[in-house]
Amino acid sequence: MDGRAGGAPRVRLPMLLTGVALIAAFFSLHRGSNTLRVTFVPPWDRSAPGELYFWLASIMFLLPGCTLIGASLAGVLGPGISRLSARLRRADPSERLAMVLALSVLTFMVARIGNQVFLHGQPFTDDEAAARFGGQVLARGALWSPLPPMRHAFPELFLFQRQGAWTSFDFLGALLTWSLSDLTRSDTLVFSLVAAIPVPALAALVTRQYGLPRGLGAACLLLCSPMALTLSFTSHTHVVSRGLLALGLTIILFVEHASLLRSAGAGLALGLAWATRPPEISALLAPLLLGYAYDALRRTDERKRLLGLALGALPPVIATFAYNVAIGGSLGFLRGARNEISVPYASAMRGALELEFWPPRFGNNLSYNALTLSIWFLGPLGLVLSYAGASSSRTHKLLGLGVLLLLALCLLHDDRGLHMVGPIHLSESAVPLALLCVAGLASLFDLLEKLAVPRVVSQCGALGYTVLGLLTFGMWHTRALEQQAITTETLLNKVAEVERQPAIVLAAPFGELHNEQSPHGSTGGFVFEWPRARPDLAEAVLIVHDSKEARLEVERAFPQRTPYVFDPRHYGVFPVSLAEALQLDAEAAAAKPAP
């Protein structure tokens, strides 16, 4: 093991053993009283004790240990890395294209396996179910869906209702994505396809500026980042905005003289990203667009870039505001419009410009999200690399300012966001941060070389940190994501076990049953409501809320459906017929002793 090649040890045994010991220390903590168990317990910004222990142990043991293991193998891996780098630098355009296509297939497979195998195709928030409903409305060629019979019994979280009709209150871009899913009957496949964009897009972008070796480094950073990886498993809106942001930046960045057509293509992608998550995309792009505007004022050859961006972005921007007017009656977004449904989180958006709210938001929101970002993107090393990369060019500075503006948005609201896939409201920042980190990595290697650390050792250490360390972090957390998905799936499978279809099931509140009906129920989760019914009510098994009123109305409102009641606390673990539930209730009432 300690053989030598060219006078240097092939494997640095003390370094290797130290790294193995640190990783063993990390996993051994799971046997202690705190454990490393990740749970998802409301409120959504709470970090469970096991989760905090996991974060701390990753920083202290896992990531340093994996770095040492990578560095210890420099004698083994170094020659191969050198040969690969030399080969990549000689790659012709067709080989570069083949590499991008291969990365596209790889990232799609990762996203699809994550969604179907680890998340079991289940949503991890109620936002996804509500956005799906809005997409189904659009897929029918309508802006609204009429209220169904027995409206009071239907799940309504994150829906928007006005004048006898309803839809989702999500942004237009999210609804368009779900409408495409519904029209193609592809379920979450479209999200996996969009989730596959950032890695090859960033690889192509960095290759344009620095060459193919660094392009593959960018792909590796983004693919292994726990924040980027776990989000790609989901069908959340941020998957779409992040993918479109990456595509738009790849088309336009580091192009000396962008044509009108290229700029319009970038503008369309960025405009669609904005239509999907307007606040986040606005913050991230504002410094860059201002920089382009400044260039256009000084240089006539730069005006094509700005004009093309504007022309490309205009259609999705106009469509978004037209949709807001049609649904909410004003240019403002539906989350702030008058809604006949009481949304429990609406108070989080109050007082955006009232300065007295800013000091508590600085700690409760901005600092909280900055902390989770520093852990989730690339760990503490990501902060160092981002800072170093921001000074490498004006474009990098503008991207860094965009990330800071995104953080500053936290001062305008109290919705801190959950962190099941990293800080959800900062998800799009993974794209510019990856660009900053790739630029900063070369500076870090140069500094270490001045400190007598061979570059090949630094490269192998970074490889261990990224591939071994960050992927271990991501997959450990994914275990908890899978457990909460199994809990949701178990409950939905039980409620669908009816003898006759079509059926309508009067169910007890989802949130009250969630933790009781699965071996992983104690993991918790942030799905609190039954799935929203399709606008056309075409489900074979329709799930609504149980109540005395619903039991009286259900047979008249849905005469073609067999009514069932689902409440494992009283009737067993599968639905019982409405008649049987009424009989059991009568027997239970008769058995009660008289007061």
Side-chain angles (χ1 to χ4, degrees), residues 203-374:
L205 174 56
V206 174
T207 296
R208 178 191 302 150
Q209 188 186 19
Y210 296 117
L212 190 54
R214 281 213 219 173
L216 286 181
C220 184
L221 284 178
L222 198 59
L223 187 60
C224 295
S225 164
M227 176 173 152
L229 176 70
T230 53
L231 179 72
S232 71
F233 297 166
T234 74
S235 57
H236 209 279
T237 305
H238 294 273
V239 171
V240 181
S241 53
R242 187 185 69 179
L244 292 169
L245 173 68
L247 179 61
L249 292 181
T250 299
I251 295 172
I252 200 66
L253 283 187
F254 307 121
V255 176
E256 188 172 354
H257 300 295
S259 67
L260 189 65
L261 183 61
R262 173 188 283 269
S263 300
L268 179 61
L270 296 176
L272 289 170
W274 179 87
T276 308
R277 294 295 305 182
E280 290 89 343
I281 299 300
S282 295
L284 283 171
L285 291 180
L288 186 67
L289 295 179
L290 287 173
Y292 286 151
Y294 177 72
D295 292 342
L297 288 174
R298 298 175 65 239
R299 295 167 48 191
T300 56
D301 59 335
E302 278 297 308
R303 292 173 187 171
K304 283 184 181 179
R305 186 195 308 260
L306 190 64
L307 178 60
L309 285 169
L311 290 174
L314 207 55
V317 170
I318 291 175
T320 297
F321 285 123
Y323 178 79
N324 293 347
V325 171
I327 301 296
S330 71
L331 293 174
F333 297 103
L334 300 189
R335 296 174 184 230
R338 182 178 170 274
N339 191 349
E340 294 175 11
I341 297 173
S342 176
V343 180
Y345 310 124
S347 62
M349 311 308 293
R350 68 180 179 219
L353 300 179
E354 296 180 29
L355 296 183
E356 64 266 27
F357 290 118
W358 286 23
R361 286 172 180 168
F362 182 83
N364 294 343
N365 199 349
L366 191 150
S367 298
Y368 158 75
N369 275 290
L371 173 66
T372 52
L373 180 66
S374 67

Side-chain angles (χ1 to χ4, degrees), residues 35 58-59 64 149 159 165 205-206 228 409 414 426 462 492 545:
T35 78
S58 296
I59 293 170
L159 299 186
L205 174 56
V206 174
L409 281 182
D414 296 298
L426 305 183
L492 292 177
H545 293 146

Side-chain angles (χ1 to χ4, degrees), residues 7 14 49-51 113 129 159 194 233 260 304 316 450 497 513 522 574:
E51 185 178 30
I113 290 170
L159 299 186
V194 179
F233 297 166
L260 189 65
K304 283 184 181 179
K450 290 177 182 177
E497 285 286 334
L513 303 179
S522 58
F574 296 109

Side-chain angles (χ1 to χ4, degrees), residues 436-465:
L436 296 179
C437 286
V438 170
L441 200 56
S443 301
L444 179 63
F445 289 163
D446 290 340
L447 175 62
L448 291 174
E449 205 164 24
K450 290 177 182 177
L451 298 175
V453 179
R455 183 168 291 259
V456 67
V457 174
S458 301
Q459 290 173 335
C460 290
L463 199 63
Y465 180 99

